[in-house]
Amino acid sequence: MASQALPSKSTALMPSIRPKKKLKALHWEKVDAPQVTVWASHALTPEAKEEKYTELAKKGVLDEVERLFMAKETKIFGGSAAAKQRKDKKQIISNELHKNLQIAMAKFSQYPADDVVRMIIHCDADILDNQVVMDFLQRDELCTIPENISKQMAPYSRDWTGPNAESSEREQDPAEITREDQIYLYTAFELNHYWKARMRALALTRSYEPDYEHISAKLQQVVKVSESLRDSVALMNVLGLILDIGNFMNDANKQAQGFKLSSLARLGMVKDDKNETTFADLVERIVRNQYPEWEGFVDDINGVVQIQKLNVDQLRTDAKKYIDNIKNVQASLDAGNLSDPKKFHPQDRVSQIVQRSMKDARRKAEQMQLYLEEMVKSYDDIMVFYGEDNADEGARRDFFAKLAAFLLEWKKSREKNISLEEARKRTEASLARKRNNAALANGANSGGEAPQLPATSGAMDSLLEKLRAAAPQARDQRDRRRRARLRERHQIRVASGQRMPDIPAAEGTEGETNDGNDSTNNIASNDDTDAAETELLSLPILGSDSGATSKDSTQISESEDVADRAASMLQGLRDNADGERSRRRRESAEEERRKRRLRRRNGPTGGSKDSADGSVLSLPEPTTPSRADSRGPEESTATSSLAEEDAASQRPVTPMTPVIIVSPTAEQHYRSPSDNGPNDGSPGKYSEPSD
């Protein structure tokens, strides 16, 4: 146990290596019994501790700690000789008064006590213009001296009311007391017999002019607003309208001949059946629409808003206090504490300073009295005029506030009604505009023209309309022009991606085939116009109206080709404008083709498919049209288009020799072999003769 106690005893020894300056302290929460804790291994002997600190010092750890955690030096305020001297001096006044005097005289803290006292007694402008100092010097602590302080101050004071006061000696030296006590002694204590009247008179010389401006302006404002309330005929008419409508709404037992201003606050609480409009909104709308000459009351009584928080009784009290203060100062100068200058301090100039301003102050007090009387009379009369009790303190305080609240609510109702009316007008204008647009659209549709959107206006839109109107209407005319143009250029159609074949000398049969294919493509889809413009050509098939088309082709010129392009573009614009109709037309055409293919596959024409080995049978193209072609170009074209789509999904791709498989119609299947020429019993499969 002795060996365990030894380390704890040695830990109290300080090592020889200590910081050169004071460092910040770490406040430990010490372990009571470190022998049985982890800290038992750190309970080193003094020699081991010295060795450890020496090692830390060599590594520079202790120097870094001393540099980083150096404690700031604390300066002791009041440690100078003057502070010690102040502590040695005697303090008589209370600590609170001592502190307040230091605060009030902070601007003059560097001045000696005698200089501050001289400035106060001489009534310097620095003292009179400093509102903080003047307020402090008028406090009751300086005007009324406690008895215990009076007993302690008496040996240091001098009685200025007695004979030969200036030559009399003080019993004790005032230098023994503090600076604040000396200021208190030379001013409030020795001049206490006229100190309160003195400071009141000096304060009046600086405050009577601004106070007069402030109070008189308020009095005149009350008189002006009261007169405006009495003279406003429009306000009386509005209140009468409110009374009439209210009596109309009330039952017989709730009829009234007049109401107090407090009832105006309830106008905004009565709402309509939809909880949207209040009674105040209704009255404002009626006045604005039916009696616009009454709206001027808002400007007539607008002054109540500025004085709604004004307490008229407090204003009257302030005016009376102002008048009484001037009277009291004048009485002090005439026969009061300020009437005998012999009792003043020999250097006190209060009498000269105050007398300079009293003449003007008396005149302002008389004028203030007139303003006050006029205000009281006007205010009492206007309250009685509007049915209020002028003896009720609450009614006097809230009279202007009630009218101001009514005026503000009226302005809010006006803004609300105007906004609702503007919104209603916009809605009506929008509905009228929609009705007009619908009427115009119906008229345009009845006239055979497509309805135009409201946004289509301007030179470009009118030009597009003219171009649409000039576009050709007959689809067969466009078909003939396109077929003739293709014959003039190529005479034969070639599948996309294959080599252009040489144009043979004889073009009659192939031209007829082009005619039939063009007609078929035009009926099947509206997109064949783009295919013709980009010159993507398809394989030739059998046609029927080659003779008529050959005659038309000789009459087509280059200008007609350009016109055909423009017509195609305009037709595309029309199709885009009516996209839904085009989509339905395309879907119907596709469905029709699909049904025809199904009928053709499931019918007696099943032998038109390829042979079992996948090869395509080739037959020479007949030079005379079949009976199926005599049914017309449209029927033949539809049949050829469907056959081409069936064959395209089944035939192999031949790079150099275009092949087309035409499925004959039902009529072709049942005709005799002599009508079509030699046939092997299978559907008609034709291959174009090679070049």
Side-chain angles (χ1 to χ4, degrees):
M1 295 296 294
S3 61
Q4 292 179 354
L6 182 60
S8 80
K9 185 177 180 180
S10 62
T11 54
L13 300 177
M14 297 292 293
S16 59
I17 302 177
R18 297 298 300 165
K20 302 178 181 64
K21 294 184 179 180
K22 184 175 179 58
L23 303 181
K24 294 182 179 179
L26 284 175
H27 301 283
W28 305 113
E29 290 186 10
K30 299 181 180 180
V31 178
D32 296 333
Q35 295 83 4
V36 294
T37 64
V38 67
W39 304 108
S41 60
H42 292 272
L44 304 177
T45 60
E47 293 79 7
K49 186 178 293 187
E50 286 290 340
E51 183 179 355
K52 189 170 185 178
Y53 277 110
T54 303
E55 181 182 357
L56 292 175
K58 288 180 179 179
K59 294 181 178 180
V61 175
L62 300 182
D63 293 338
E64 186 177 2
V65 171
E66 187 174 354
R67 178 175 57 83
L68 295 176
F69 301 101
M70 184 181 299
K72 295 182 179 179
E73 296 182 1
T74 57
K75 295 182 179 180
I76 301 176
F77 293 96
S80 60
K84 292 180 180 179
Q85 187 177 1
R86 284 197 299 270
K87 289 182 179 180
D88 295 339
K89 290 187 177 182
K90 182 180 180 181
Q91 178 180 336
I92 298 176
I93 61 177
S94 63
N95 291 331
E96 182 180 1
L97 182 58
H98 187 274
K99 185 183 297 184
N100 291 335
L101 196 150
Q102 285 180 339
I103 295 173
M105 297 294 177
K107 185 177 180 180
F108 311 101
S109 60
Q110 303 301 323
Y111 291 79
D114 294 338
D115 293 344
V116 176
V117 171
R118 179 183 54 79
M119 294 171 66
I120 295 174
I121 293 177
H122 287 181
C123 304
D124 287 357
D126 294 339
I127 299 295
L128 298 181
D129 295 337
N130 193 323
Q131 190 63 35
V132 176
V133 175
M134 292 298 294
D135 291 343
F136 174 76
L137 295 178
Q138 296 179 73
R139 295 180 64 172
D140 291 338
E141 291 91 334
L142 277 73
C143 297
T144 304
I145 299 175
E147 184 178 356
N148 59 338
I149 294 179
S150 178
K151 291 180 180 179
Q152 297 181 46
M153 283 285 185
Y156 302 98
S157 65
R158 179 183 292 173
D159 188 9
W160 294 103
T161 60
N164 301 324
E166 191 174 358
S167 60
S168 62
E169 296 292 336
R170 303 176 186 271
E171 296 180 5
Q172 295 183 9
D173 187 7
E176 297 176 0
I177 59 178
T178 61
R179 176 178 178 272
E180 288 73 18
D181 288 271
Q182 293 179 28
I183 296 174
Y184 181 84
L185 172 66
Y186 294 144
T187 56
F189 187 80
E190 292 184 350
L191 307 180
N192 183 256
H193 56 284
Y194 72 100
W195 180 259
K196 185 175 182 179
R198 177 183 185 276
M199 296 309 303
R200 182 178 58 190
L202 291 174
L204 179 64
T205 59
R206 292 296 186 270
S207 63
Y208 79 96
E209 289 184 348
D211 289 348
Y212 173 80
E213 298 294 335
H214 175 72
I215 297 174
S216 63
K218 293 293 184 183
L219 294 174
Q220 295 178 47
Q221 193 174 9
V222 172
V223 173
K224 182 179 178 181
V225 173
S226 300
E227 292 178 352
S228 67
L229 292 174
R230 177 181 287 276
D231 298 339
S232 179
V233 179
L235 175 62
M236 301 175 191
N237 292 330
V238 171
L239 296 179
L241 178 64
I242 294 173
L243 177 64
D244 295 339
I245 298 176
N247 285 332
F248 174 77
M249 296 169 60
N250 291 340
D251 296 333
N253 59 345
K254 293 184 179 181
Q255 299 295 309
Q257 296 182 353
F259 58 87
K260 292 188 176 182
L261 297 180
S262 58
S263 302
L264 295 174
R266 301 190 183 99
L267 301 182
M269 302 178 185
V270 182
K271 297 187 177 181
D272 61 353
D273 55 346
K274 296 181 180 179
N275 203 23
E276 294 178 354
T277 304
T278 63
F279 185 77
D281 300 338
L282 172 65
V283 175
E284 191 280 330
R285 186 167 59 252
I286 293 174
V287 171
R288 182 162 45 85
N289 296 330
Q290 306 297 332
Y291 307 99
E293 65 275 6
W294 294 353
E295 287 189 288
F297 86 93
V298 176
D299 298 328
D300 295 342
I301 67 171
N302 194 39
V304 296
V305 178
Q306 283 77 27
I307 62 172
Q308 59 177 324
K309 296 182 179 180
L310 179 64
N311 191 336
V312 177
D313 292 338
Q314 182 63 39
L315 179 62
R316 182 171 60 178
T317 302
D318 294 341
K320 287 183 177 180
K321 184 178 179 181
Y322 176 86
I323 297 171
D324 294 340
N325 189 28
I326 294 177
K327 290 181 178 179
N328 292 335
V329 171
Q330 185 62 43
S332 298
L333 291 173
D334 293 342
N337 295 333
L338 301 179
S339 61
D340 189 3
K342 295 179 182 180
K343 296 180 180 181
F344 296 172
H345 191 280
Q347 300 178 5
D348 198 349
R349 301 173 54 198
V350 61
S351 195
Q352 297 89 327
I353 297 296
V354 175
Q355 289 292 350
R356 296 174 188 172
S357 305
M358 286 310 298
K359 182 177 181 180
D360 190 24
R362 288 194 302 270
R363 183 180 61 79
K364 291 185 181 301
E366 294 173 358
Q367 189 66 33
M368 182 72 72
Q369 183 67 34
L370 296 176
Y371 287 151
L372 178 61
E373 294 174 357
E374 184 181 10
M375 187 274 296
V376 171
K377 184 177 182 302
S378 299
Y379 191 66
D380 291 343
D381 292 345
I382 199 62
M383 289 190 66
V384 174
F385 182 74
Y386 280 94
E388 301 292 328
D389 185 9
N390 59 353
D392 186 4
E393 183 180 356
R396 295 178 63 86
R397 183 178 59 252
D398 299 335
F399 178 74
F400 288 136
K402 295 173 184 176
L403 289 170
F406 169 69
L407 191 60
L408 295 176
E409 187 68 23
W410 184 275
K411 292 180 180 179
K412 291 180 181 179
S413 298
R414 177 182 175 84
E415 294 177 358
K416 177 181 176 182
N417 290 335
I418 291 176
S419 63
L420 290 177
E421 291 174 2
E422 291 178 353
R424 190 180 301 110
K425 289 179 181 179
R426 288 195 298 268
T427 304
E428 292 176 356
S430 177
L431 293 176
R433 192 163 53 248
K434 290 180 180 178
R435 286 194 295 269
N436 294 336
N437 293 337
L440 293 175
N442 293 334
N445 291 334
S446 62
E449 297 179 359
Q452 299 179 359
L453 297 176
T456 57
S457 60
M460 181 59 70
D461 296 334
S462 61
L463 177 60
L464 290 175
E465 292 299 327
K466 291 179 182 179
L467 291 174
R468 289 193 184 100
Q473 300 297 326
R475 183 180 296 274
D476 57 344
Q477 181 181 0
R478 293 197 301 272
D479 295 339
R480 287 195 300 272
R481 288 179 178 177
R482 184 169 61 253
R483 288 193 295 270
R485 183 172 65 254
L486 293 175
R487 279 196 302 273
E488 285 180 353
R489 292 182 179 178
H490 306 295
Q491 297 293 329
I492 191 169
R493 287 190 173 184
V494 181
S496 176
Q498 297 184 0
R499 183 177 60 83
M500 174 72 74
D502 296 334
I503 300 175
E507 298 174 353
T509 305
E510 294 175 356
E512 294 172 1
T513 305
N514 288 336
D515 290 347
N517 191 27
D518 286 342
S519 177
T520 302
N521 292 338
N522 181 63
I523 294 174
S525 174
N526 292 330
D527 297 335
D528 288 313
T529 303
D530 298 334
E533 293 299 326
T534 56
E535 298 183 3
L536 298 176
L537 305 179
S538 60
L539 295 174
I541 61 174
L542 187 62
S544 64
D545 55 349
S546 59
T549 309
S550 300
K551 295 178 181 180
D552 293 338
S553 64
T554 59
Q555 301 175 2
I556 303 301
S557 63
E558 189 65 26
S559 60
E560 290 177 334
D561 182 69
V562 175
D564 190 66
R565 286 189 186 180
S568 300
M569 292 175 61
L570 293 174
Q571 186 63 33
L573 291 175
R574 285 188 174 181
D575 292 340
N576 291 334
D578 199 2
E580 184 65 22
R581 189 160 49 189
S582 300
R583 185 182 62 80
R584 289 196 297 267
R585 188 165 59 249
R586 287 195 300 269
E587 291 177 355
S588 177
E590 291 175 359
E591 182 67 18
E592 184 65 24
R593 288 196 298 272
R594 188 182 64 82
K595 290 179 179 180
R596 289 182 180 179
R597 284 196 299 270
L598 291 176
R599 287 198 302 269
R600 203 163 268 107
R601 290 172 183 172
N602 299 329
T605 59
S608 63
K609 295 186 179 180
D610 299 340
S611 60
D613 58 351
S615 63
V616 180
L617 297 178
S618 298
L619 293 176
E621 186 176 7
T623 57
T624 59
S626 64
R627 282 184 296 177
D629 296 334
S630 63
R631 289 176 296 174
E634 294 182 359
E635 214 171 36
S636 177
T637 304
T639 304
S640 301
S641 176
L642 294 172
E644 182 180 356
E645 290 177 3
D646 262 334
S649 62
Q650 299 174 5
R651 68 169 177 259
V653 179
T654 306
M656 296 303 296
T657 304
V659 176
I660 182 168
I661 301 173
V662 180
S663 298
T665 61
E667 185 178 353
Q668 289 175 332
H669 277 285
Y670 290 103
R671 66 188 175 188
S672 62
S674 60
D675 296 336
N676 281 335
N679 193 351
D680 57 353
S682 62
K685 296 183 182 179
Y686 303 98
S687 63
E688 184 182 21
S690 60
D691 296 336

